[in-house]
Amino acid sequence: MLSKEELQKFDDEYKGRIAHVKGYDDAWEIVLRRPESKEYKRFRSMINGDRASDAQETLVRQLAVYPKGDALDALLNDYPGIPEACGKSIRVLAGIEASEQGK
């Protein structure tokens, strides 16, 4: 598992716009950064097209700052549901999750 110092480095690098997602019983962990506009637009176009089943995984692969490369491939092979488990964190990072104000 990542140390507090390692997480702080990611937080500093991405100006607090990260999500640290861990699996049940800490079986896995992943750190995502916020999506750029063009990445999120590509994701939205994928979910409405022929590659809908790949859309979430593609976005997670783009946003993952930990792990990366072969380690990320191995993690997603062992736990193929990780992209969906990251859904709420991605919505928060993208600005979709919000609290409504007013009446």
Side-chain angles (χ1 to χ4, degrees):
M1 301 315 295
L2 290 168
S3 69
K4 288 181 183 181
E5 292 80 17
E6 290 169 314
L7 283 172
Q8 188 61 52
K9 284 181 186 179
F10 289 126
D11 196 57
D12 292 344
E13 183 175 351
Y14 295 100
K15 299 173 179 62
R17 300 286 305 270
I18 64 165
H20 181 218
V21 185
K22 296 193 290 185
Y24 182 74
D25 282 345
D26 296 334
W28 54 266
E29 69 181 323
I30 189 167
V31 177
L32 306 173
R33 62 167 173 78
R34 73 161 186 82
E36 295 176 9
S37 178
K38 64 184 176 184
E39 293 168 326
Y40 197 74
K41 285 180 182 178
R42 187 177 314 121
F43 165 73
R44 287 186 11 228
S45 71
M46 287 179 73
I47 60 174
N48 293 314
D50 296 353
R51 300 195 48 213
S53 62
D54 297 326
Q56 190 92 354
E57 181 177 340
T58 299
L59 186 61
V60 165
R61 287 180 177 281
Q62 290 173 328
L63 303 182
V65 296
Y66 175 87
K68 295 185 82 67
D70 291 341
L72 179 60
D73 291 340
L75 186 67
L76 293 175
N77 188 54
D78 287 346
Y79 298 97
I82 287 175
E84 285 75 20
C86 294
K88 182 172 183 169
S89 294
I90 291 170
R91 289 190 304 273
V92 169
L93 289 170
I96 295 170
E97 293 281 324
S99 60
E100 292 186 24
Q101 303 270 330
K103 291 185 175 183

